[in-house]
PDB file of all heavy atoms in Angstrom:
ATOM      1  N   SER G 106      38.020 -87.008  25.617  1.00  0.00           N
ATOM      2  CA  SER G 106      38.713 -88.351  25.607  1.00  0.00           C
ATOM      3  C   SER G 106      38.491 -89.067  26.874  1.00  0.00           C
ATOM      4  O   SER G 106      38.640 -88.468  28.014  1.00  0.00           O
ATOM      5  CB  SER G 106      40.138 -88.105  25.307  1.00  0.00           C
ATOM      6  OG  SER G 106      40.882 -89.390  25.325  1.00  0.00           O
ATOM      7  N   ASN G 108      40.245 -92.427  27.221  1.00  0.00           N
ATOM      8  CA  ASN G 108      41.367 -93.189  27.386  1.00  0.00           C
ATOM      9  C   ASN G 108      42.676 -92.388  27.271  1.00  0.00           C
ATOM     10  O   ASN G 108      43.779 -92.884  27.462  1.00  0.00           O
ATOM     11  CB  ASN G 108      41.462 -94.424  26.523  1.00  0.00           C
ATOM     12  CG  ASN G 108      41.575 -93.974  25.058  1.00  0.00           C
ATOM     13  OD1 ASN G 108      41.794 -92.834  24.694  1.00  0.00           O
ATOM     14  ND2 ASN G 108      41.538 -94.999  24.064  1.00  0.00           N
ATOM     15  N   MET G 109      42.558 -91.128  27.136  1.00  0.00           N
ATOM     16  CA  MET G 109      43.741 -90.157  27.015  1.00  0.00           C
ATOM     17  C   MET G 109      44.712 -90.548  25.801  1.00  0.00           C
ATOM     18  O   MET G 109      45.874 -90.325  25.868  1.00  0.00           O
ATOM     19  CB  MET G 109      44.465 -90.121  28.340  1.00  0.00           C
ATOM     20  CG  MET G 109      43.699 -89.409  29.431  1.00  0.00           C
ATOM     21  SD  MET G 109      43.375 -87.723  29.093  1.00  0.00           S
ATOM     22  CE  MET G 109      41.582 -87.736  28.809  1.00  0.00           C
ATOM     23  N   ARG G 110      44.079 -91.157  24.859  1.00  0.00           N
ATOM     24  CA  ARG G 110      44.831 -91.343  23.573  1.00  0.00           C
ATOM     25  C   ARG G 110      44.139 -90.559  22.520  1.00  0.00           C
ATOM     26  O   ARG G 110      43.091 -90.785  22.043  1.00  0.00           O
ATOM     27  CB  ARG G 110      44.819 -92.805  23.230  1.00  0.00           C
ATOM     28  CG  ARG G 110      45.591 -93.739  24.209  1.00  0.00           C
ATOM     29  CD  ARG G 110      45.738 -95.143  23.694  1.00  0.00           C
ATOM     30  NE  ARG G 110      46.529 -95.984  24.605  1.00  0.00           N
ATOM     31  CZ  ARG G 110      46.928 -97.152  24.263  1.00  0.00           C
ATOM     32  NH1 ARG G 110      46.622 -97.805  23.167  1.00  0.00           N
ATOM     33  NH2 ARG G 110      47.683 -97.842  25.124  1.00  0.00           N
ATOM     34  N   ILE G 111      44.886 -89.512  22.112  1.00  0.00           N
ATOM     35  CA  ILE G 111      44.276 -88.513  21.208  1.00  0.00           C
ATOM     36  C   ILE G 111      45.055 -88.414  19.934  1.00  0.00           C
ATOM     37  O   ILE G 111      46.271 -88.385  19.928  1.00  0.00           O
ATOM     38  CB  ILE G 111      44.296 -87.165  21.924  1.00  0.00           C
ATOM     39  CG1 ILE G 111      43.334 -87.197  23.153  1.00  0.00           C
ATOM     40  CG2 ILE G 111      43.792 -86.012  20.982  1.00  0.00           C
ATOM     41  CD1 ILE G 111      43.368 -85.859  23.955  1.00  0.00           C
ATOM     42  N   GLY G 112      44.340 -88.488  18.912  1.00  0.00           N
ATOM     43  CA  GLY G 112      44.943 -88.322  17.512  1.00  0.00           C
ATOM     44  C   GLY G 112      44.834 -86.998  16.960  1.00  0.00           C
ATOM     45  O   GLY G 112      43.877 -86.217  17.263  1.00  0.00           O
ATOM     46  N   ARG G 137      48.593 -89.496  25.557  1.00  0.00           N
ATOM     47  CA  ARG G 137      49.434 -90.064  24.516  1.00  0.00           C
ATOM     48  C   ARG G 137      48.767 -89.438  23.207  1.00  0.00           C
ATOM     49  O   ARG G 137      47.660 -89.591  22.866  1.00  0.00           O
ATOM     50  CB  ARG G 137      49.372 -91.608  24.443  1.00  0.00           C
ATOM     51  CG  ARG G 137      50.046 -92.125  25.630  1.00  0.00           C
ATOM     52  CD  ARG G 137      49.861 -93.749  25.690  1.00  0.00           C
ATOM     53  NE  ARG G 137      50.533 -94.288  24.557  1.00  0.00           N
ATOM     54  CZ  ARG G 137      50.522 -95.734  24.333  1.00  0.00           C
ATOM     55  NH1 ARG G 137      49.985 -96.502  25.159  1.00  0.00           N
ATOM     56  NH2 ARG G 137      51.065 -96.061  23.240  1.00  0.00           N
ATOM     57  N   ASN G 139      49.042 -89.184  19.021  1.00  0.00           N
ATOM     58  CA  ASN G 139      49.475 -89.731  17.665  1.00  0.00           C
ATOM     59  C   ASN G 139      48.988 -88.677  16.656  1.00  0.00           C
ATOM     60  O   ASN G 139      47.893 -88.491  16.418  1.00  0.00           O
ATOM     61  CB  ASN G 139      48.796 -90.945  17.436  1.00  0.00           C
ATOM     62  CG  ASN G 139      49.135 -92.120  18.417  1.00  0.00           C
ATOM     63  OD1 ASN G 139      50.267 -92.667  18.354  1.00  0.00           O
ATOM     64  ND2 ASN G 139      48.224 -92.383  19.283  1.00  0.00           N
ATOM     65  N   LEU G 171      47.020 -94.442  10.462  1.00  0.00           N
ATOM     66  CA  LEU G 171      46.709 -93.898  11.769  1.00  0.00           C
ATOM     67  C   LEU G 171      45.727 -94.768  12.467  1.00  0.00           C
ATOM     68  O   LEU G 171      45.775 -95.113  13.760  1.00  0.00           O
ATOM     69  CB  LEU G 171      46.145 -92.463  11.751  1.00  0.00           C
ATOM     70  CG  LEU G 171      45.731 -91.852  12.965  1.00  0.00           C
ATOM     71  CD1 LEU G 171      46.879 -91.523  13.923  1.00  0.00           C
ATOM     72  CD2 LEU G 171      44.991 -90.529  12.720  1.00  0.00           C
ATOM     73  N   LYS G 172      44.731 -95.226  11.664  1.00  0.00           N
ATOM     74  CA  LYS G 172      43.684 -96.076  12.170  1.00  0.00           C
ATOM     75  C   LYS G 172      44.189 -97.452  12.697  1.00  0.00           C
ATOM     76  O   LYS G 172      43.779 -98.050  13.631  1.00  0.00           O
ATOM     77  CB  LYS G 172      42.457 -96.191  11.274  1.00  0.00           C
ATOM     78  CG  LYS G 172      41.395 -97.061  11.758  1.00  0.00           C
ATOM     79  CD  LYS G 172      40.282 -97.166  10.587  1.00  0.00           C
ATOM     80  CE  LYS G 172      39.150 -98.055  11.027  1.00  0.00           C
ATOM     81  NZ  LYS G 172      38.074 -98.171  10.064  1.00  0.00           N
ATOM     82  N   ASP G 173      45.047 -98.066  11.836  1.00  0.00           N
ATOM     83  CA  ASP G 173      45.468 -99.453  12.106  1.00  0.00           C
ATOM     84  C   ASP G 173      46.414 -99.544  13.261  1.00  0.00           C
ATOM     85  O   ASP G 173      46.433-100.606  13.980  1.00  0.00           O
ATOM     86  CB  ASP G 173      46.245 -99.891  10.860  1.00  0.00           C
ATOM     87  CG  ASP G 173      45.273-100.206   9.689  1.00  0.00           C
ATOM     88  OD1 ASP G 173      43.904-100.216   9.963  1.00  0.00           O
ATOM     89  OD2 ASP G 173      45.725-100.440   8.587  1.00  0.00           O
ATOM     90  N   LYS G 174      47.182 -98.486  13.560  1.00  0.00           N
ATOM     91  CA  LYS G 174      48.327 -98.622  14.578  1.00  0.00           C
ATOM     92  C   LYS G 174      47.941 -98.123  15.931  1.00  0.00           C
ATOM     93  O   LYS G 174      48.662 -98.437  16.858  1.00  0.00           O
ATOM     94  CB  LYS G 174      49.505 -97.870  14.088  1.00  0.00           C
ATOM     95  CG  LYS G 174      50.201 -98.489  12.828  1.00  0.00           C
ATOM     96  CD  LYS G 174      51.438 -97.651  12.344  1.00  0.00           C
ATOM     97  CE  LYS G 174      52.083 -98.240  11.135  1.00  0.00           C
ATOM     98  NZ  LYS G 174      53.312 -97.491  10.823  1.00  0.00           N
ATOM     99  N   ASN G 175      46.893 -97.427  16.123  1.00  0.00           N
ATOM    100  CA  ASN G 175      46.604 -96.824  17.405  1.00  0.00           C
ATOM    101  C   ASN G 175      45.250 -97.184  17.970  1.00  0.00           C
ATOM    102  O   ASN G 175      44.408 -97.596  17.133  1.00  0.00           O
ATOM    103  CB  ASN G 175      46.836 -95.256  17.264  1.00  0.00           C
ATOM    104  CG  ASN G 175      48.198 -94.968  16.658  1.00  0.00           C
ATOM    105  OD1 ASN G 175      49.154 -95.072  17.344  1.00  0.00           O
ATOM    106  ND2 ASN G 175      48.196 -94.434  15.450  1.00  0.00           N
ATOM    107  N   HIS G 176      44.981 -96.709  19.166  1.00  0.00           N
ATOM    108  CA  HIS G 176      43.791 -96.995  19.855  1.00  0.00           C
ATOM    109  C   HIS G 176      43.211 -95.602  20.383  1.00  0.00           C
ATOM    110  O   HIS G 176      42.657 -95.546  21.477  1.00  0.00           O
ATOM    111  CB  HIS G 176      43.907 -97.988  21.058  1.00  0.00           C
ATOM    112  CG  HIS G 176      44.423 -99.356  20.574  1.00  0.00           C
ATOM    113  ND1 HIS G 176      43.606-100.226  19.897  1.00  0.00           N
ATOM    114  CD2 HIS G 176      45.672 -99.920  20.595  1.00  0.00           C
ATOM    115  CE1 HIS G 176      44.337-101.295  19.706  1.00  0.00           C
ATOM    116  NE2 HIS G 176      45.578-101.136  20.026  1.00  0.00           N
ATOM    117  N   ILE G 177      43.269 -94.674  19.436  1.00  0.00           N
ATOM    118  CA  ILE G 177      42.715 -93.403  19.857  1.00  0.00           C
ATOM    119  C   ILE G 177      41.144 -93.301  20.007  1.00  0.00           C
ATOM    120  O   ILE G 177      40.582 -94.116  19.256  1.00  0.00           O
ATOM    121  CB  ILE G 177      43.100 -92.391  18.807  1.00  0.00           C
ATOM    122  CG1 ILE G 177      42.563 -92.577  17.478  1.00  0.00           C
ATOM    123  CG2 ILE G 177      44.628 -92.125  18.804  1.00  0.00           C
ATOM    124  CD1 ILE G 177      42.825 -91.464  16.462  1.00  0.00           C
ATOM    125  N   ASP G 178      40.656 -92.595  20.981  1.00  0.00           N
ATOM    126  CA  ASP G 178      39.295 -92.493  21.010  1.00  0.00           C
ATOM    127  C   ASP G 178      38.744 -91.032  20.666  1.00  0.00           C
ATOM    128  O   ASP G 178      37.528 -90.856  20.668  1.00  0.00           O
ATOM    129  CB  ASP G 178      38.777 -92.794  22.422  1.00  0.00           C
ATOM    130  CG  ASP G 178      39.019 -91.867  23.524  1.00  0.00           C
ATOM    131  OD1 ASP G 178      39.923 -90.903  23.311  1.00  0.00           O
ATOM    132  OD2 ASP G 178      38.461 -91.818  24.568  1.00  0.00           O
ATOM    133  N   THR G 179      39.681 -90.212  20.347  1.00  0.00           N
ATOM    134  CA  THR G 179      39.411 -88.742  20.019  1.00  0.00           C
ATOM    135  C   THR G 179      40.315 -88.314  18.942  1.00  0.00           C
ATOM    136  O   THR G 179      41.493 -88.574  19.051  1.00  0.00           O
ATOM    137  CB  THR G 179      39.571 -87.948  21.312  1.00  0.00           C
ATOM    138  OG1 THR G 179      38.679 -88.355  22.305  1.00  0.00           O
ATOM    139  CG2 THR G 179      39.030 -86.444  20.901  1.00  0.00           C
ATOM    140  N   MET G 198      37.247 -93.433  10.267  1.00  0.00           N
ATOM    141  CA  MET G 198      37.734 -93.784  11.575  1.00  0.00           C
ATOM    142  C   MET G 198      36.837 -94.702  12.461  1.00  0.00           C
ATOM    143  O   MET G 198      37.291 -95.400  13.268  1.00  0.00           O
ATOM    144  CB  MET G 198      37.983 -92.423  12.238  1.00  0.00           C
ATOM    145  CG  MET G 198      39.067 -91.635  11.757  1.00  0.00           C
ATOM    146  SD  MET G 198      40.733 -92.469  11.564  1.00  0.00           S
ATOM    147  CE  MET G 198      41.066 -92.717  13.320  1.00  0.00           C
ATOM    148  N   HIS G 201      33.164 -94.993  17.024  1.00  0.00           N
ATOM    149  CA  HIS G 201      33.702 -94.953  18.348  1.00  0.00           C
ATOM    150  C   HIS G 201      34.773 -93.897  18.528  1.00  0.00           C
ATOM    151  O   HIS G 201      35.106 -93.572  19.754  1.00  0.00           O
ATOM    152  CB  HIS G 201      34.327 -96.317  18.675  1.00  0.00           C
ATOM    153  CG  HIS G 201      35.581 -96.570  17.819  1.00  0.00           C
ATOM    154  ND1 HIS G 201      35.485 -96.958  16.509  1.00  0.00           N
ATOM    155  CD2 HIS G 201      36.874 -96.441  18.118  1.00  0.00           C
ATOM    156  CE1 HIS G 201      36.719 -97.123  16.047  1.00  0.00           C
ATOM    157  NE2 HIS G 201      37.711 -96.845  17.021  1.00  0.00           N
ATOM    158  N   VAL G 202      35.201 -93.180  17.565  1.00  0.00           N
ATOM    159  CA  VAL G 202      36.149 -92.083  17.585  1.00  0.00           C
ATOM    160  C   VAL G 202      35.454 -90.711  17.702  1.00  0.00           C
ATOM    161  O   VAL G 202      34.628 -90.485  16.679  1.00  0.00           O
ATOM    162  CB  VAL G 202      37.190 -92.072  16.475  1.00  0.00           C
ATOM    163  CG1 VAL G 202      38.170 -90.991  16.502  1.00  0.00           C
ATOM    164  CG2 VAL G 202      37.947 -93.462  16.552  1.00  0.00           C
TER     165      VAL G 202
END
Side-chain angles (χ1 to χ4, degrees):
S106 180
N108 67 5
M109 292 296 108
R110 293 189 177 189
I111 296 174
R137 294 178 61 179
N139 295 284
L171 179 67
K172 181 180 178 181
D173 288 350
K174 292 181 181 179
N175 304 288
H176 299 283
I177 61 174
D178 72 344
T179 304
M198 293 302 296
H201 65 285
V202 176

